[in-house]
Amino acid sequence: MMVRWSKVVAFATGACASASFLPPHLANDPRNSGRTGGRAAVGPDLQLFDDTLDALRVLQDAYFEPWVGTWPSAIDWTAAVMGSHVAGALLSLSRGLELVHPGMGEGYLLKENTISLYFSQLIGFYFGQDAFAIRGQAFDDMLWVVLGWLDAIKFIDTRIGRDLGVINSATFSTGTPQNDGWHGNLWVPAFAHRARIFWELASVGWDTKLCGGGMNWNPRLTPYKNAITNELYIAGSISMYIYFPGDSNAAPFGANHGRNSPPAGASTDWKPHDPIYLTAAVDGYEWLASSNMTNSKGLYVDGFHVSGYDSGSNNTKCDERDEMVYTYNQGVILSGQLGLFQVTGNPSYLREGHRLIQNVIWATGYDLARDQPIDDLARLFLKFVPPWHGLGRAGILEEACDIKASCSQDGQTFKGIWMHHFTAFCSPLEPTTANQDTRSFDSVRTEHSIACQRYIGWLEHNAAAARGTRDSEGRFGMWWTAGLLNFTTRGLYIPPDALPDDDGAPVDDPPGGQLLIGQSVKVLPSKAGGEPAALKERSQAEFRDPNSRGRGRTVETQGGGLAVLRALWELSKQSL
């Protein structure tokens, strides 16, 4: 990361030299003797690089329309997430070129042209994005826009600073287009302006009258303080502090939204590293940490309502918790935790991020100590779909809606979001001015790297499953677990403990008993056993391909496939 600030406020600088981000049973594992977490250093996985590039190609060729500058089948917020996926993929592919194609040979030039092609489509999306419509939507919709364009700036920064090395970081402080260096630099002011506008529009959602603080989800609906809006506010705010290069463009508003208007004649310049962003991130994180928004598995639930609000009650407490668990609620906060560590030097942010990641992995049914799924999949897959563990099964990340193919367009986007922010969190740490103690920082960096390397086996398992959902055109499906199963040769029953209910918990006794996937009929046994109570014909398409059910393959599921391959590429590359 190119750090552009000269001074930060260090809330905590005492990084413990012996700190470990792994629990004791993992931290004491002799396999952690090196930075790679015990994995042998090998050459770059060229097939993984090519698969990641191909996933990006399919995302753009199959779903993006250059003439309108967007993915027409996406909705406003999922399109903003697709922009983040493209920017993230370009960042990874750009940095990987020298590993895969050292020198300036034909292969390098071919992939370099590919990166420029997809960056041009990202520029097209700047104009295709319906920015005025999103201004009237929920606060979380606005914050996806903030993160998307900051991801694009992050890619440009890295490309200029690491690949071309021709622009001094101070160049960006003026927000003025530069005509030297990589052409993408010309678009930094436009991207920064949009990020700034939408951060200010969203920031008015912060409220202290209810629940003692926190971001409200939607200004036009009953107050709801949910996890995702607050995580986006934290991640968006700290990313604005780190990556926002400044903005001198007051259009399309004459006054600053989200803060007091400047006096007449005052400058309307917005400078980089404004403390307002850092304060917002810290306040948001402290509120979320004290909000009681995690369940017994250490996972974030969806959010809080205020009981009695609609009936005129004087209650101001968040006391009605929606217990539903989604993957993306465990992901966006990771970018916020990384950013807060980068700025403050406090390793507790990293420690809490690793704890959340480990909770997620365990809730998919994967044991990091043994580096394999908890359940005996060889035995289970002879007949039954493996049991639900809270956020997946068989060691694979899932939404509760995956197995029933009932995921909405929103839900189809969630796993890719988790992978995107997990990748950001597990990026190599680089020194900043907040890390004055070199010895302590080196210890934290090493422990962070070791912990992230321990996740590679789980990532490989998930990437293999996701790859198994690709159709003949390279399009990824939503239910990654299906990539591990052979539905064409046998049916697989869903026992009660494999079917999550609306809160994401296992169903104790689903209506009708067991459900069958993978045959031409659905069997609903009677309570007493014996003959099925009902038979329902199923289409041959469902028989052959469980990912053709429901909404099928979409731009959102393709974004998820790209994100998991990119995550594996980034972490495995670090072990070289």
Side-chain angles (χ1 to χ4, degrees), residues 496 499 507-515 523-525 527:
L499 189 63
V507 173
D508 294 329
D509 190 12
Q514 294 176 345
L515 195 66
V523 179
L524 302 174
K527 287 283 185 179

Side-chain angles (χ1 to χ4, degrees), residues 80-81 83-85 87-88 91 122 144-157 191 239 243 335 420-421 424:
V81 173
S84 279
H85 285 322
L91 178 67
L122 196 59
W144 293 116
V145 176
V146 175
L147 287 181
W149 295 112
L150 292 176
D151 278 334
I153 291 173
K154 184 177 177 181
F155 162 64
I156 295 170
D157 281 2
F191 296 168
S239 295
Y243 297 110
S335 285
H420 179 81
H421 291 275

Side-chain angles (χ1 to χ4, degrees), residues 391-475:
L391 207 59
R393 74 189 75 244
I396 305 299
L397 194 65
E398 276 191 24
E399 302 300 335
C401 57
D402 278 352
I403 195 168
K404 295 176 286 187
S406 60
C407 296
S408 66
Q409 191 163 10
D410 291 349
Q412 285 195 321
T413 318
F414 293 168
K415 288 198 293 287
I417 292 170
W418 193 91
M419 287 292 172
H420 179 81
H421 291 275
F422 166 81
T423 304
F425 180 84
C426 271
S427 59
L429 300 180
E430 298 187 12
T432 72
T433 53
N435 300 299
Q436 301 293 337
D437 186 337
T438 302
R439 187 174 177 181
S440 294
F441 172 75
D442 286 345
S443 175
V444 170
R445 177 167 55 185
T446 297
E447 293 294 340
H448 177 71
S449 176
I450 289 173
C452 287
Q453 291 298 301
R454 288 301 298 263
Y455 310 143
I456 288 182
W458 177 79
L459 269 182
E460 290 173 336
H461 186 58
N462 277 260
R467 279 167 160 153
T469 70
R470 292 178 297 187
D471 64 8
S472 60
E473 298 176 17
R475 297 176 301 176

